[in-house]
Amino acid sequence: MQKSNQEKWILYSTCDEDSYSELRALDITSNDKVLAVTGSGCRTLSLLACNPKSLISVDYSPGQNYLLEFKLAAIRALSYDQLLQFFGVEDCSNRWEIFSSFEDKISPQAFAYFSANRWAIEKGILLSGRHELFYVRFVAPLMRLLYGRQFEQIAHASTLEEQREIFNNHIAGFFWNSLIRTGFSPLSISLILNDPKYIVEMNVNVGDYLIERLHHTFNNHLVRDNNWTSFMFYGKYLGRRCLPHFLLEENYHAIRKATTKFEIVTGNLIEYMKQMPEKSIDKYSLSDVTSCIDGETFKALINEVIRTGENQGKLCYRNFLNKQLIPSDLEDTLQRDHELAEALYHDDLAFAYSFEIAQINKIENQVAETRTVAGIS
């Protein structure tokens, strides 16, 4: 119990990824066995809303897994209105009282962990991760100070044409670009993450990349309907129309009804996969795993995906600052869907990620290897 209290506070408390993109990529069915990376737990809950046959969610951080456990328990225990209030989307005066009722609904370790961080419960758990606090305490106040009137107009813009005019004529420019380069420099990102297990390998120019992607999102996606950009620039969700996928009312009900065999695992993802049987997983939801592993570890991960994956299974992962592509010598086995990857790069509401989507094709690969060994051209 004491060890739980000493765990480092969670890095992520809400979703900075667009689950709609991932669900398009993976096409989850009720027969699928799914393996996911936990992170904030939001993507895992979106996968659970699809009611797959089984779902395993893995993370090396106990706190992130406690958060997933906690979120699922809250979804199952609270009405939809109560849930939004308790999580911090809407006002609530008795969050601690509600949390206290969860002692018999979550593990003792999870209850102790959040009990030791009462401030986060009372603030609203979705607003309280180390990553999220950067936007709540720094980015959103700075935007109000520098671009208060413009962002107020953007929050009420009902068309892309209106939003584009405000952004391109009154925000974008030299000063805006300088802010992005400073706020999202490699040093700033390392300070925000502040986690020795999170390996920040960067093979893109961070500032220029984010300037281009922000220009894309302001010109192609309404902020008022975009959960991540609303949180990023306002430090909150702009109402129920722009909540993360798992928090939309229809998905809240789907999660409650799901009959999925569900397991949460704390540990190293690759080491856990090494213990799994061959052909035991249909769909892989690996988040931006490339941001926290080096190149050699990534190759080991891909090899485990191939070993544990069912034929015709699907892999989806995101790239952010470290663009790790599927190794060229494995392209026959992991057949990349270039068209869908490009479509998601354009459509994704979280804007910063590119996608790697592939189908596992073991049979064709095995046939090719057999023909080679037999000397058949």
Side-chain angles (χ1 to χ4, degrees), residues 35-37 58-60 199 265-277 284 286 289-290 292-305 307-308:
L35 179 68
V37 171
V58 184
D59 206 292
Y60 68 79
I199 302 168
V265 174
T266 299
N268 179 282
L269 175 62
I270 299 175
E271 293 305 313
Y272 177 76
M273 292 176 71
K274 286 179 179 178
Q275 302 171 29
M276 296 171 61
Y284 295 85
L286 300 186
V289 67
T290 57
C292 54
I293 58 177
D294 59 27
E296 287 303 310
T297 307
F298 172 70
K299 290 178 183 177
L301 173 63
I302 291 297
N303 285 329
E304 285 304 313
V305 168
R307 186 186 68 82
T308 59

Side-chain angles (χ1 to χ4, degrees), residues 4 14 21 48 71-72 106 130 136 150 185 269 277 324 336 365:
S4 156
T14 194
S21 295
L48 188 58
K71 285 180 176 178
L72 180 56
I106 58 178
R130 287 180 282 134
V136 172
Q150 293 90 337
S185 67
L269 175 62
Q324 293 274 15
R336 188 176 189 268
N365 187 60

Side-chain angles (χ1 to χ4, degrees), residues 117-128:
N117 292 280
R118 179 169 177 164
W119 66 271
I121 299 297
E122 293 184 336
K123 183 179 183 63
I125 195 66
L126 295 187
L127 311 178
S128 302

Side-chain angles (χ1 to χ4, degrees), residues 188-233:
S188 298
I189 290 171
S190 297
L191 291 173
I192 294 166
L193 297 177
N194 188 26
D195 189 335
K197 292 183 180 178
Y198 203 99
I199 302 168
V200 186
E201 284 197 357
M202 304 179 189
N203 54 18
V204 298
N205 183 304
V206 182
D208 288 348
Y209 176 70
L210 287 178
I211 288 167
E212 186 277 324
R213 295 310 296 162
L214 283 166
H215 186 273
H216 168 84
T217 204
F218 276 105
N219 280 276
N220 290 279
H221 306 299
L222 278 173
V223 168
R224 61 180 286 175
D225 297 329
N226 185 332
N227 68 87
W228 180 238
T229 48
S230 71
F231 191 98
M232 183 178 186
F233 292 111

Side-chain angles (χ1 to χ4, degrees), residues 1 26 32 49 61 91 98 100 120 132 136 151-152 158 172 185 208 221 236 274 283 292 309 318 348 351 359-360:
M1 189 76 70
L26 294 178
D32 284 334
S61 167
D91 292 337
I98 295 172
S100 298
E132 287 70 21
V136 172
F151 271 96
E152 182 67 22
S158 57
S185 67
D208 288 348
H221 306 299
K236 61 182 181 181
K274 286 179 179 178
K283 307 286 172 68
C292 54
R318 293 166 166 83
D348 191 66
F351 75 82
Q359 179 171 284
I360 302 169

